[in-house]
Amino acid sequence: MKVSAGRWHRRRHEILLMVSRRVAFLVPLLLLVTLGIFALATVSPYDPLDAYLGGLAGGMTHAQQVSLAATLHLDMPWYAAWWEWIKGIFSGDPGTSRAYQQPVIQVMHQRLPWTLLLGLTGLFISVFLAFVLGVRAGLHPNGWVDRAISVLATILQTIPPFVLALAALSIFALYLNWLPTGGLTWPGQETTLTSTIVHLILPGIVLGITQLPWLILSLRESILDVLASDAIRGARVRGIPYSRIISHHVIPTALPPFIALVGSRLPELVAGSVLVEAIFAWPGLGSALVRSAQSLDFPLLTFLTVAITVLVLAGNLLSDVLFVILDPRVDADA
């Protein structure tokens, strides 16, 4: 017991070091990301003032354009605008969104919960279905169910997320009229728990399916590798019940790589969320990111990019920590 406690103490120390290294790496990375966004403004073919006015800047005099650009701080060099934004972040004021005419913090406060709801729903659906189908295919290889699951996963791999979203919208919302086309509620009605759940079904399922193929095939292969290992063959020779081998050895051993893959797919989940939110008019950060990019709303665009980067890296870190905890063979320093 003392040895086990000592090993866990060392393991915990290794995990804390891994977390501290990732956090220390995060700060310069975020600075470079924000710097890159403002620097790209210099090569953008679009005029921020014209985007702010909806293409009507040509109807203003030059003096009016200069005055409005100064009011909106659009006349500053990109590096000066970046530095002003950084100072605002440290003072707790990341600026005002020109696209939404609201403080950036208020836009985040309104939209972040909806993005988390959609993202967690899609993640749960993909992980749950991948676990059920991957375990079924891995434990019964070469059967008709395994072949059907593999074919389905292969087909889904070839379909871009926006095509899948448009197809689901056309079939289940427009043609069959089973589910609403988008938003949080029906026109003219207040948002309720029931309306949110109903409107979440289609985008949540679509987002989950976009991540399903890789998770299914990965878990299937992990289970097949474990079943073919000497340890499992030895357990069967010793007469250990097959159900116990599966529940206590095969699945726990196959789970760590599966969890690591879930973490590595988070960037794709976020990218898919942006497309799904835009197609289904879901009022989250993804649709706000698209609108801020279209209107060259750099205060909001930069803050959203930073927030999404933090979410992705935090999810990756969480999956790596779980991977290290579940599999003692993995080196936390790697």
Side-chain angles (χ1 to χ4, degrees), residues 59-210:
M60 302 175 63
T61 64
H62 178 70
Q64 290 175 328
Q65 293 181 11
V66 171
S67 176
L68 182 58
T71 302
L72 298 174
H73 305 291
L74 297 177
D75 57 341
M76 301 172 63
W78 69 267
Y79 48 86
W82 172 80
W83 181 243
E84 289 297 320
W85 187 84
I86 289 294
K87 291 194 296 184
I89 288 293
F90 283 104
S91 65
D93 181 18
T96 300
S97 167
R98 296 192 295 269
Y100 290 93
Q101 299 294 310
Q102 292 178 332
V104 170
I105 291 297
Q106 187 174 346
V107 176
M108 288 290 297
H109 182 265
Q110 293 174 348
R111 292 177 171 269
L112 179 59
W114 300 118
T115 289
L116 292 177
L117 176 62
L118 177 61
L120 292 175
T121 300
L123 184 63
F124 173 79
I125 290 174
S126 62
V127 170
F128 175 78
L129 291 178
F131 180 81
V132 173
L133 297 177
V135 169
R136 177 63 177 81
L139 295 180
H140 305 279
N142 303 319
W144 72 268
V145 175
D146 175 40
R147 289 194 294 269
I149 292 174
S150 298
V151 169
L152 176 63
T154 302
I155 293 175
L156 289 176
Q157 277 184 322
T158 64
I159 303 177
F162 74 92
V163 173
L164 186 64
L166 290 174
L169 182 65
S170 301
I171 296 172
F172 297 103
L174 299 178
Y175 180 71
L176 296 176
N177 200 26
W178 288 355
L179 294 166
T181 57
L184 291 175
T185 188
W186 294 273
Q189 298 186 17
E190 294 184 358
T191 301
T192 63
L193 177 61
T194 301
S195 71
T196 300
I197 293 175
V198 173
H199 285 73
L200 177 64
I201 292 175
L202 197 55
I205 291 177
V206 169
L207 185 59
I209 289 177
T210 60

Side-chain angles (χ1 to χ4, degrees), residues 11 13 39 69 72 92 98 101 110 123 145 169 173 183 214 221 234 247 255 257 268 283 285 292-293 309 316:
R11 197 66 168 169
H13 180 67
L72 298 174
R98 296 192 295 269
Q101 299 294 310
Q110 293 174 348
L123 184 63
V145 175
L169 182 65
W214 297 271
E221 291 302 316
S247 61
L255 275 182
E268 292 290 337
L285 297 182
S292 64
T309 302
N316 277 319

